[in-house]
Structures are given as structure tokens and as C-alpha cells.
Amino acid sequence: AVKDQGRNGYSFFHSDMEESSLERILMENELRKAIELEQFHLDYQPKMDLSTGRLIGMEALVRWDHPELGRIAPNKFIPVAEDTGMIIPLGEWVLRRGCEQAIEWQQQGYSQLKLSVNLSVRQFYQPNLLDKIKEILKDTGLRPQWLELEVTESVFAVLDDAAAILQEMRDLGIHISVDDFGTGYSSFSYIKHLPIDTLKIDASFIRDIHQNKESQAIVKAILSIAQTLNLNVIAEGVETSEQLTILSEDGCSQGQGFLFSQPLSSQDFEQYLKNSFQFALHR
Ligand code: C2E
Ligand code: MG
Ligand code: MG
Ligand code: MG
């Protein structure tokens, strides 16, 4: 049930990634080794409730620290992992590691945090994706209501049965969030029947929301549609208090971005948890 693979570019390099084929082969080899050697770790970026200022969860973001090349950005290696199919084992590792970590924090008493994990479109081609997710939840003991999967709009353009698969995930109790919302398929009407819980407004609309009337209008339109459809909304890439003020005024209830925190290593996130918990006690 794969539609138009390639024509709209999902299986190929993005145009800003026109690397030489040698570089490409090197990257593939290094990535293959990195997966075997588990050269990855996860950072976690806080997600905030804007009305209470409270932490509601964290997005797991994969990090690759190559022993010689240093840190390689996900925007560079995720597309290669997608093209080569390596995103399947990598994505599985990310989900397992994230769930293990979430359970660890729950056991430390931080029991109300939702873990968000990004899922590539390519992972939906995997026939046993649902079984894998169930297996990981069972192995780690994370209850599905504490897991949110972030998918991009492209999943609905590329896969006929995306909605059915996402519905099955939701039936398990997992939350579904549409990442980078507003940049992809772009017809708002299509979300009406989709099995989703949250719209994650793309950072590009937040970036200039305080200067650009069009961006603010788009954000308002997303908020209004979300309200009508009873969907949750989170703004990504919130960097300034100016942006936060507008978002709050416009009724956006959740946010994520450098204003609150950069993505943090698990150690730093744990410290962040301790600090915000103490802060809450003394309030
Ligand atoms: P995304 O899922 O939309 O994640 C948001 C990206 O924006 C992250 O970049 C995050 O570090 C960055 N970010 C967060 N707040 C701000 C901000 O206030 N300002 C700015 N300028 N940036 C902010 P990162 O970690 O480099 O990831 C880039 C993309 O790579 C992600 O976009 C996601 O599509 C993909 N990715 C990352 N980790 C994974 C993963 O484990 N699996 C999959 N399939 N994709 C991943
Ligand atoms: Mg995301
Ligand atoms: Mg995003
Ligand atoms: Mg993005």
C-alpha cells in the first residue's frame, strides 16, 4: 500500500543534501557500524503546559556522536537511515531506549510525564510495526497512555493504510501527534477523519509569529480547527517570550522550544526534573 514512492521524494535525498556518492557510501557504512555498536543516545526536550508552566512530557531526539567525526545531526543521517532501511533497527532502538528511560523516571516518582518518540514514514512499511511496539511496551512495562508517537503529515500522503495503522495504535492507548503540522499536505480538511490526538505546529510559523501577520493567521487557523475537532495543540520551536505571549493570547495550550529548554542528555533532564520538582514544592 505504498503510494508514489520516490515521486514526491520520500525515498531519496532531500535537495539540500546533495552529497557526492562517495560521501554517501561512507555515511551508509558508518551508520551501519554505528547501529551495530549502538553509538547513539537520546536527548530529551521538555514539553510545557503554557497555562500552568508545568512540564507535561519530553520528546526523545536521537543523537549520533561519531568517534572521529563528532556529532552528526539527525537531519543529515535520518534521511540516509530512511533510504537504506536502517531506520527500522534504529527506530526500534530509539523506542526501546526511550521507553526504558521513561519507566526509570516513573520509578523515581515522575509519574505523569508523556514520552514522545518520532516515527519515520519508512517505519510504517514494516509489516510488524504494531507487534514491535507492543513488544517494546510489554518488555519495558511502559503503559501506552504515556507514549506518544510523532508522525509527519506525509505519512497520510504516502501510505493508504496509515490511518488504519494509527487507529490500531490509538486503540492500544498510544497518543498520535502530527509533527511539523502545516508544512506538508496542507489541506486542513483531511485531518477531519484522521485518528490523531495532537497537532504540533511547525516551528517555521512560530519563528516569525511576532512579526508576520500570515504566520500568526495560520497559527490561529490551526488553533481554531483543533478546537473544533477537539484536538490538542503544541507549538514547536518557541524561542522567545514574545512568541510565547502571542501563543498564550491566541489560546495555544502547550509549547516546546529553546525558551523552556534545549534538548537535554538523560542526566541533565534528570537534574531538570529534580529542579522543577523542588520549585513546585516551594511554590
Ligand atoms: P522534529 O521531530 O520536528 O524535532 C524538532 C527539532 O527542532 C529537533 O532537532 C530539536 O532539537 C529542534 N528544536 C527544538 N526546539 C527548538 C527551538 O526552539 N529552536 C530551534 N531552532 N530548534 C529547536 P533535531 O534533534 O536536530 O532533530 C531534527 C529532526 O530529526 C526531528 O525534527 C525529526 O524529524 C528527526 N529526528 C530526531 N530524532 C529522531 C528519531 O529518533 N527518529 C526519527 N525517525 N526522526 C528523528
Ligand atoms: Mg518531533
Ligand atoms: Mg517537528
Ligand atoms: Mg521538524
Side-chain angles (χ1 to χ4, degrees):
V2 176
K3 279 192 228 166
D4 295 332
Q5 225 190 322
R7 198 189 60 185
N8 39 20
Y10 290 112
S11 318
F12 298 98
F13 263 106
H14 299 170
S15 54
D16 59 335
M17 291 197 58
E18 283 163 358
E19 292 171 273
S20 71
S21 48
L22 178 63
E23 263 178 304
R24 169 64 192 235
I25 289 163
L26 286 175
M27 170 78 96
E28 279 186 31
N29 283 338
E30 290 308 308
L31 196 54
R32 192 159 283 121
K33 271 194 273 175
I35 288 172
E36 262 167 45
L37 300 172
E38 293 194 19
Q39 272 173 5
F40 302 95
H41 72 269
L42 298 181
D43 275 359
Y44 298 87
Q45 189 179 32
K47 293 192 178 192
M48 315 303 291
D49 181 310
L50 299 183
S51 55
T52 61
R54 276 186 21 211
L55 180 72
I56 48 176
M58 59 281 168
E59 178 176 8
L61 295 157
V62 70
R63 298 292 178 251
W64 180 15
D65 288 313
H66 187 280
E68 285 99 39
L69 302 172
R71 177 157 296 187
I72 302 171
N75 287 337
K76 202 127 181 97
F77 71 83
I78 293 282
V80 180
E82 287 171 343
D83 290 353
T84 54
M86 285 188 265
I87 193 67
I88 306 286
L90 178 60
E92 219 176 294
W93 181 86
V94 167
L95 184 60
R96 188 174 289 275
R97 185 69 208 103
C99 290
E100 284 168 357
Q101 183 63 77
I103 277 289
E104 212 179 300
W105 287 329
Q106 283 191 2
Q107 285 165 349
Q108 291 175 17
Y110 306 105
S111 53
Q112 305 292 309
L113 301 177
K114 197 175 283 170
L115 169 78
S116 302
V117 174
N118 292 285
L119 218 54
S120 281
V121 172
R122 183 65 148 84
Q123 290 175 267
F124 283 82
Y125 302 165
Q126 190 188 0
N128 62 349
L129 175 64
L130 267 164
D131 291 335
K132 276 288 167 204
I133 293 172
K134 282 189 216 165
E135 185 187 302
I136 290 169
L137 288 172
K138 186 160 169 277
D139 290 351
T140 60
L142 187 72
R143 291 167 69 195
Q145 67 261 40
W146 298 115
L147 178 64
E148 176 176 72
L149 297 172
E150 296 192 2
V151 300
T152 52
E153 294 168 75
S154 57
V155 74
F156 303 109
V158 174
L159 260 148
D160 285 326
D161 42 13
I165 299 171
L166 291 174
Q167 185 57 59
E168 281 190 73
M169 291 174 182
R170 285 183 87 217
D171 291 344
L172 292 176
I174 296 170
H175 290 246
I176 304 295
S177 175
V178 182
D179 206 346
D180 307 335
F181 186 75
T183 59
Y185 214 59
S186 288
S187 149
F188 282 3
S189 62
Y190 82 99
I191 59 172
K192 188 164 67 173
H193 301 294
L194 291 180
I196 54 177
D197 303 281
T198 298
L199 302 178
K200 192 168 186 182
I201 308 176
D202 190 67
S204 59
F205 305 114
I206 311 303
R207 194 162 300 131
D208 60 357
I209 192 172
H210 52 300
Q211 299 160 332
N212 186 312
K213 288 233 162 18
E214 283 79 19
S215 287
Q216 195 183 2
I218 289 169
V219 170
K220 277 187 171 170
I222 294 173
L223 288 166
S224 133
I225 233 172
Q227 196 175 27
T228 308
L229 298 177
N230 210 7
L231 297 171
N232 186 40
V233 181
I234 183 163
E236 74 174 352
V238 184
E239 292 185 351
T240 69
S241 48
E242 238 179 322
Q243 295 164 347
L244 174 62
T245 303
I246 296 175
L247 286 165
S248 303
E249 280 169 6
D250 288 349
C252 182
S253 59
Q254 298 179 359
Q256 181 183 352
F258 296 169
L259 176 65
F260 310 108
S261 170
Q262 301 254 339
L264 303 170
S265 68
S266 52
Q267 293 90 330
D268 289 348
F269 191 84
E270 214 165 294
Q271 195 55 52
Y272 179 95
L273 285 174
K274 285 180 187 147
N275 294 345
S276 24
F277 185 63
Q278 261 175 7
F279 178 64
L281 277 182
H282 292 288
R283 228 168 359 179

